[in-house]
Amino acid sequence: MRKNRHCRLMKMFKELNTKLRGYYNYYGVIGNSKKITQVYRIIIETLYKWLNRRSQRKSFIWEAFGKVIKRYKLLKPYIASRYQQMTIKISC
């Protein structure tokens, strides 16, 4: 985010969503929702920090930043893979 803070918001959110989708698909398993939600919060805080450093004045307050996240549709955490129930037949 630091290296791309000068980019347009649409491009930045598109690339960030691509990375988040890959992260959620890999780590989004049952039992890991707490950690991927924690990563999502860290990403929001980091994004807020670096977008506010685009100029010498603060660019966003939290309310306006929340509207930006909704407008550009930052991907929320989700569980991607579910364990499939297996039935094993044992014959004696």
Side-chain angles (χ1 to χ4, degrees):
M1 288 183 231
R2 179 181 179 190
K3 292 179 182 179
N4 294 321
R5 68 180 172 195
H6 66 280
C7 295
R8 293 190 177 268
L9 289 178
M10 184 179 290
K11 180 181 177 189
M12 179 184 279
F13 275 87
K14 184 178 177 182
E15 289 182 19
L16 185 57
N17 279 335
T18 302
K19 292 175 193 255
L20 284 174
R21 186 174 296 109
Y23 184 85
Y24 297 154
N25 285 338
Y26 189 79
Y27 291 106
V29 295
I30 293 175
N32 201 24
S33 62
K34 185 177 179 181
K35 289 295 181 183
I36 61 174
T37 303
Q38 187 177 20
V39 167
Y40 177 74
R41 287 185 187 146
I42 291 170
I43 288 170
I44 287 178
E45 291 169 2
T46 307
L47 186 61
Y48 179 78
K49 171 186 170 182
W50 287 110
L51 287 180
N52 268 328
R53 293 183 179 199
R54 290 173 99 173
S55 65
Q56 292 178 355
R57 295 184 303 168
K58 267 191 156 181
S59 301
F60 295 106
I61 56 173
W62 278 107
E63 291 81 19
F65 183 68
K67 290 178 183 177
V68 168
I69 288 176
K70 286 181 183 177
R71 179 176 181 203
Y72 291 105
K73 297 179 178 110
L74 185 64
L75 198 60
K76 293 188 178 186
Y78 60 89
I79 301 299
S81 64
R82 306 224 182 255
Y83 296 114
Q84 293 182 356
Q85 191 174 18
M86 297 177 61
T87 57
I88 301 173
K89 294 183 180 181
I90 299 175
S91 57
C92 296

